[in-house]
Coordinates of all heavy atoms in Angstrom, one line a residue:
Chain A
F50 N 3.0 17.5 5.2 CA 3.0 18.9 5.8 C 4.1 19.9 5.3 O 5.2 19.3 4.9 CB 3.2 18.8 7.4 CG 2.0 18.1 8.0 CD1 2.3 17.2 9.1 CD2 0.8 18.3 7.4 CE1 1.1 16.6 9.6 CE2 -0.4 17.7 8.1 CZ -0.2 16.8 9.1
G51 N 3.8 21.1 5.3 CA 4.6 22.1 4.5 C 6.1 22.3 5.1 O 6.9 22.6 4.3
N52 N 6.2 22.0 6.3 CA 7.6 22.3 6.9 C 8.6 21.2 6.5 O 9.8 21.3 6.8 CB 7.5 22.4 8.4 CG 6.8 23.7 8.8 OD1 6.7 24.6 8.1 ND2 6.5 23.8 10.1
V72 N -1.7 18.0 1.3 CA -2.1 17.2 2.5 C -3.5 16.8 2.3 O -3.9 15.4 2.5 CB -2.1 18.1 3.8 CG1 -2.6 17.3 5.0 CG2 -0.8 18.6 4.2
H73 N -4.4 17.5 1.8 CA -5.7 17.3 1.5 C -5.9 16.2 0.5 O -6.7 15.2 0.6 CB -6.4 18.5 1.1 CG -7.7 18.5 0.3 ND1 -7.7 19.0 -1.0 CD2 -8.8 17.8 0.5 CE1 -8.8 18.7 -1.6 NE2 -9.5 18.0 -0.8
A76 N -5.1 12.9 2.1 CA -6.1 12.4 2.9 C -7.2 11.8 2.0 O -7.8 10.9 2.4 CB -6.6 13.6 3.7
L82 N -3.9 10.4 9.7 CA -2.7 10.5 10.8 C -3.3 10.9 12.2 O -4.2 11.7 12.2 CB -1.8 11.6 10.3 CG -0.7 12.1 11.4 CD1 0.2 11.0 11.7 CD2 0.0 13.3 10.9
F84 N -2.4 12.7 15.3 CA -1.3 13.7 15.7 C -0.9 13.4 17.2 O -1.7 13.0 18.0 CB -1.9 15.0 15.6 CG -2.0 15.6 14.3 CD1 -2.9 15.0 13.4 CD2 -1.3 16.7 13.8 CE1 -3.1 15.5 12.0 CE2 -1.4 17.2 12.5 CZ -2.3 16.6 11.7
P87 N -1.7 17.6 18.5 CA -2.5 18.4 17.6 C -2.8 19.8 18.1 O -2.8 20.1 19.4 CB -3.8 17.6 17.6 CG -3.9 16.9 18.8 CD -2.5 16.7 19.3
G92 N -13.1 27.8 19.1 CA -14.5 28.1 18.5 C -15.0 26.9 17.6 O -16.2 26.9 17.4
L98 N -16.5 19.7 13.6 CA -15.4 19.2 12.7 C -15.7 17.7 12.2 O -15.5 17.5 11.0 CB -14.0 19.1 13.6 CG -12.8 18.4 12.9 CD1 -12.5 19.2 11.6 CD2 -11.7 18.4 13.9
T102 N -15.9 16.4 8.3 CA -15.1 15.5 7.6 C -15.7 14.1 7.5 O -15.1 13.2 6.9 CB -13.8 15.3 8.6 OG1 -14.2 14.9 9.9 CG2 -13.1 16.6 8.7
N128 N -9.8 20.1 20.9 CA -8.4 19.9 21.8 C -8.3 21.0 22.9 O -7.3 21.0 23.5 CB -7.3 20.0 20.9 CG -7.2 18.8 19.9 OD1 -7.7 17.7 20.2 ND2 -6.8 19.1 18.7
E140 N -8.5 12.1 18.7 CA -7.7 11.7 17.5 C -8.2 10.5 16.9 O -8.6 10.3 15.7 CB -6.3 11.7 17.7 CG -5.6 13.0 18.0 CD -5.5 13.9 16.8 OE1 -5.0 13.5 15.8 OE2 -6.1 14.9 16.9
Q143 N -11.8 11.0 15.4 CA -11.6 11.7 14.1 C -11.2 10.7 13.0 O -11.7 10.8 11.9 CB -10.7 12.9 14.1 CG -11.1 14.0 15.1 CD -10.1 15.2 15.1 OE1 -9.6 15.6 14.1 NE2 -9.8 15.6 16.3
Q147 N -13.3 9.5 9.7 CA -12.6 9.8 8.4 C -12.4 8.5 7.6 O -12.5 8.5 6.5 CB -11.2 10.4 8.7 CG -10.5 10.9 7.4 CD -9.1 11.4 7.8 OE1 -8.8 11.6 9.0 NE2 -8.2 11.6 6.7
Chain B
K320 N -0.8 28.0 10.3 CA -0.7 27.0 9.3 C -1.0 25.6 9.8 O -1.5 24.8 9.1 CB 0.7 27.1 8.7 CG 1.0 26.3 7.5 CD 2.4 26.5 7.0 CE 2.9 25.4 6.2 NZ 4.4 25.4 6.1
E321 N -0.5 25.4 11.0 CA -0.7 24.1 11.6 C -2.2 23.7 11.8 O -2.6 22.5 11.7 CB 0.2 23.7 12.8 CG -0.2 24.6 13.9 CD 0.3 24.0 15.2 OE1 0.8 22.9 15.3 OE2 0.2 24.7 16.3
E322 N -3.0 24.7 12.1 CA -4.4 24.5 12.1 C -5.1 24.1 10.8 O -5.9 23.2 10.7 CB -5.1 25.7 12.8 CG -4.8 26.0 14.2 CD -5.5 27.2 14.7 OE1 -6.5 27.5 14.3 OE2 -4.9 27.8 15.7
E324 N -3.4 22.8 8.2 CA -3.0 21.4 7.9 C -3.7 20.4 8.6 O -3.8 19.2 8.1 CB -1.5 21.4 7.9 CG -0.7 22.2 7.0 CD 0.8 22.0 6.8 OE1 1.4 21.6 7.9 OE2 1.3 22.1 5.8
Y325 N -3.9 20.6 10.0 CA -4.7 19.7 10.7 C -6.0 19.2 10.0 O -6.3 18.1 10.0 CB -4.8 20.2 12.1 CG -5.5 19.4 13.2 CD1 -4.9 18.1 13.4 CD2 -6.6 19.7 13.9 CE1 -5.5 17.3 14.4 CE2 -7.1 18.9 14.8 CZ -6.6 17.7 15.2 OH -7.2 16.9 16.1
L326 N -6.8 20.3 9.6 CA -8.0 20.0 9.0 C -7.9 19.3 7.7 O -8.6 18.5 7.2 CB -8.9 21.3 9.0 CG -9.2 21.9 10.3 CD1 -10.4 22.9 10.2 CD2 -9.5 20.9 11.4
M327 N -6.8 19.9 7.0 CA -6.6 19.2 5.6 C -6.2 17.8 5.8 O -6.6 16.9 4.9 CB -5.4 20.0 5.0 CG -5.8 21.3 4.5 SD -4.3 22.2 3.8 CE -4.1 21.5 2.2
A328 N -5.5 17.4 6.9 CA -5.2 16.0 7.1 C -6.5 15.1 7.3 O -6.5 13.9 7.3 CB -4.3 15.8 8.3
R329 N -7.6 15.8 7.6 CA -8.9 15.1 7.8 C -9.7 15.1 6.6 O -10.8 14.7 6.6 CB -9.7 15.8 9.0 CG -9.0 15.8 10.3 CD -8.8 14.5 10.9 NE -8.1 14.6 12.2 CZ -7.1 13.9 12.6 NH1 -6.4 13.1 11.6 NH2 -6.6 14.1 13.8
G330 N -9.1 15.7 5.5 CA -9.8 15.7 4.2 C -10.4 16.9 3.8 O -11.1 16.8 2.7
L331 N -10.1 17.9 4.4 CA -10.8 19.2 3.9 C -9.7 20.0 3.0 O -8.5 19.9 3.3 CB -11.1 20.1 5.1 CG -12.1 19.5 6.1 CD1 -12.4 20.6 7.2 CD2 -13.4 19.0 5.6
S332 N -10.3 20.6 2.0 CA -9.3 21.4 1.2 C -8.9 22.5 1.9 O -9.5 23.0 3.0 CB -10.1 21.8 -0.2 OG -11.1 22.8 0.2
T339 N -13.6 27.0 7.8 CA -14.1 26.3 9.0 C -13.4 26.9 10.2 O -14.1 27.1 11.2 CB -13.7 24.7 8.8 OG1 -14.3 24.3 7.6 CG2 -14.3 24.0 10.0
G343 N -15.3 29.2 13.1 CA -15.1 28.8 14.5 C -14.7 30.0 15.3 O -15.1 30.2 16.3
F344 N -13.7 30.8 14.8 CA -13.2 32.0 15.4 C -14.3 32.9 15.7 O -14.3 33.5 16.7 CB -12.1 32.6 14.4 CG -11.7 33.9 14.9 CD1 -10.6 34.0 15.8 CD2 -12.2 35.0 14.3 CE1 -10.1 35.3 16.2 CE2 -11.8 36.3 14.7 CZ -10.7 36.4 15.6
D346 N -17.4 32.2 16.3 CA -18.5 31.6 16.9 C -18.4 31.9 18.5 O -17.8 31.3 19.1 CB -18.4 30.0 16.8 CG -19.8 29.4 17.0 OD1 -20.8 30.1 16.9 OD2 -19.8 28.2 17.4

Side-chain angles (χ1 to χ4, degrees):
Chain A
F50 295 144
N52 288 344
V72 177
H73 149 245
L82 170 67
F84 286 62
L98 173 60
T102 57
N128 299 324
E140 288 291 300
Q143 290 178 50
Q147 189 184 350
Chain B
K320 185 177 156 198
E321 62 163 352
E322 290 181 25
E324 286 190 333
Y325 184 54
L326 299 197
M327 287 174 76
R329 302 293 181 235
L331 303 184
S332 68
T339 304
F344 171 83
D346 200 25

